[in-house]
Amino acid sequence: MNGLDSAIRDAGAAAYAAYGSSADADVRYLTRFRTTDPVVYIKKQGERGILVIPQMEHERAVRESSAAVVTRADAGYLEYIKAGEPRWRATAHMIADLASGPVLVPATFPLALARELESFHPVVLDAAGTVEGMRAVKTQDEIEQIRSVQRATEAAMERGIALIRASRSKGGILHLDDRPLTAEAVRAEMHTFLLTQGCRGVDTIVSCGPDTALPHNLGTGPLLENEPIVIDIFPQDELSGYHADMTRTVVKGEPSPAIREMYEAVRDAKALGASEVRAGAVGADIHYAVVEFFRDRGYESNTQGFIHSLGHGVGLEVHEEPSLGPRGGALVAGNVITIEPGLYYPGTGGIRLEDMGAVTETGFDRFTQYTEELII
């Protein structure tokens, strides 16, 4: 019995239902079908899941989806529409027919649909996030897909850093081909390359100088000499849907002593965090081990210093379970996680380094092979 079957049984439900496009990671995981339009997924205990789709998608869904495929017409949806039922009502009516009893739904289930469904059968919220928990433990095939995205990610990172390495300073501003080298230009270089690899980069961070003290500042404008440049890239493979995630911090020129010391502390903290990873280790314990390490080096962990979790799961979402933060639970073999300590000080700047890999019974299988080099 898989995790979803157990959840259906424990909830006293007849079936599990999900609704969404493949932008919903749970829907994509359960159906392995890529679509921009919302679809319905239904699973009864001990049975194969059913994907309900428009007629036009039937043949493609049969080829691509891991679920049994039924058209909306065959599931009764169009008859309910013809009878005058509004869209949410007709969808709920169809789900109720397929479920034949109480329905377990995820937290992302549309409220309007849940309200309509309640008029047919009881609706039970899957507060435990069963599918999210299933997604957290990767199969070997999933791990290989993530490794593949990571290879493209590292090649893209090298494209971006190569621009910075080739630049020259004029008045403290980095120039390339007699024009200021901007965060936008570095980002575009990486994103363009990723497209050739079948991947898509969104919101890649290329921040410089004072902006690096804000962990998720995207970065804009000319890059500066002697200042930290944080590059955080987390692309998604367009076919598989899986992400990678990595961060490097570089300086073109001579970093300040404070930045050098921060870099060394972050580098060593990352090594410490990775050394603590193994099946059974608790994410919160690893996070707090790094907090203590930074404290011993003279860095705080509150509104400045180390101000975020040590890491997170990566998969169909770039941030998913498990957590290596204050709420993190026990890791299990097959988790794919990041280790990404950082230090951030307004007026000085920020440093972040991030590797990704799989949890094994005995340690951390690091996927990231890209070098760590502060001065380029």
Side-chain angles (χ1 to χ4, degrees):
M1 180 179 293
N2 67 28
L4 197 48
D5 282 339
S6 297
I8 295 168
R9 179 201 60 197
D10 294 345
Y16 175 92
Y19 177 94
S21 72
S22 53
D24 183 307
D26 285 357
V27 171
R28 187 158 191 175
Y29 178 82
L30 292 167
T31 66
R32 298 298 174 181
F33 185 61
R34 187 172 60 160
T35 173
T36 56
D37 296 318
V39 295
V40 170
Y41 175 84
I42 302 282
K43 177 176 169 40
K44 290 186 174 181
Q45 185 178 328
E47 297 182 9
R48 184 184 180 191
I50 297 171
L51 173 63
V52 186
I53 47 85
Q55 177 65 41
M56 66 178 291
E57 297 283 21
H58 181 266
E59 184 174 350
R60 186 169 71 90
V62 168
R63 292 181 181 181
E64 298 178 11
S65 179
S66 59
V69 178
V70 175
T71 66
R72 292 188 302 185
D74 288 341
Y77 174 80
L78 296 184
E79 289 301 318
Y80 296 134
I81 290 292
K82 289 176 183 178
E85 294 187 7
R87 176 172 64 95
W88 288 122
R89 179 72 178 177
T91 303
H93 205 157
M94 178 187 72
I95 292 172
D97 289 346
L98 293 169
S100 303
V103 183
L104 181 67
V105 301
T108 55
F109 200 74
L111 178 61
L113 185 53
R115 289 278 171 81
E116 293 289 356
L117 188 54
E118 283 176 329
S119 68
F120 297 101
H121 298 304
V123 174
V124 183
L125 177 65
D126 181 24
T130 299
V131 178
E132 186 177 10
M134 293 165 59
R135 285 172 31 219
V137 184
K138 273 63 177 180
T139 64
Q140 192 58 44
D141 180 64
E142 289 177 295
I143 286 174
E144 290 307 314
Q145 291 185 76
I146 296 171
R147 283 186 188 273
S148 176
V149 186
Q150 178 60 25
R151 289 192 291 270
T153 302
E154 294 187 21
M157 178 71 78
E158 177 56 29
R159 293 293 186 106
I161 288 180
L163 294 182
I164 301 169
R165 187 181 291 116
S167 68
R168 295 293 180 267
S169 175
K170 293 182 181 180
I173 296 175
L174 300 182
H175 283 68
L176 191 66
D177 299 328
D178 294 323
R179 292 185 297 179
L181 178 62
T182 65
E184 291 87 348
V186 173
R187 188 179 298 116
E189 176 72 15
M190 292 190 290
H191 285 187
T192 300
F193 174 79
L194 285 167
L195 288 173
T196 70
Q197 305 301 301
C199 297
R200 182 168 59 97
V202 177
D203 291 337
T204 295
I205 293 169
V206 184
S207 63
C208 180
D211 288 346
T212 60
L214 302 172
H216 284 168
N217 189 311
L218 287 182
T220 59
L223 302 179
L224 306 176
E225 182 186 27
N226 304 329
E227 293 284 353
I229 302 171
V230 173
I231 304 178
D232 186 346
I233 184 169
F234 36 93
Q236 181 182 38
D237 184 279
E238 293 194 307
L239 287 179
S240 72
Y242 285 92
H243 289 81
D245 195 5
M246 71 175 293
T247 306
R248 289 295 184 263
T249 302
V250 297
V251 173
K252 177 70 175 182
E254 185 64 28
S256 69
I259 288 296
R260 282 183 179 272
E261 292 171 7
M262 287 166 60
Y263 187 91
E264 292 172 2
V266 169
R267 180 196 61 202
D268 294 347
K270 181 164 68 68
L272 171 64
S275 73
E276 297 290 322
V277 171
R278 60 185 53 82
V282 176
D285 292 345
I286 303 173
H287 170 83
Y288 283 117
V290 169
V291 169
E292 291 295 325
F293 171 84
F294 279 136
R295 182 176 297 143
D296 290 343
R297 290 283 187 102
Y299 299 106
E300 62 263 63
S301 298
N302 43 57
T303 58
Q304 60 181 9
F306 181 39
I307 60 177
H308 54 67
S309 295
L310 177 62
H312 56 84
V314 180
L316 290 171
E317 293 180 296
V318 72
H319 295 99
E320 59 180 48
E321 292 297 321
S323 169
L324 275 75
R327 67 176 183 84
L331 303 177
V332 299
N335 290 153
V336 172
I337 61 171
T338 66
I339 303 291
E340 52 176 310
L343 290 171
Y344 311 90
Y345 286 93
T348 301
I351 300 290
R352 184 164 67 256
L353 296 170
E354 177 183 24
D355 289 347
M356 180 183 69
V359 177
T360 71
E361 292 294 341
T362 57
F364 182 57
D365 178 12
R366 190 177 69 174
F367 300 168
T368 310
Q369 299 299 313
Y370 196 80
T371 58
E372 297 171 8
E373 185 181 15
L374 175 60
I375 301 172
I376 59 173

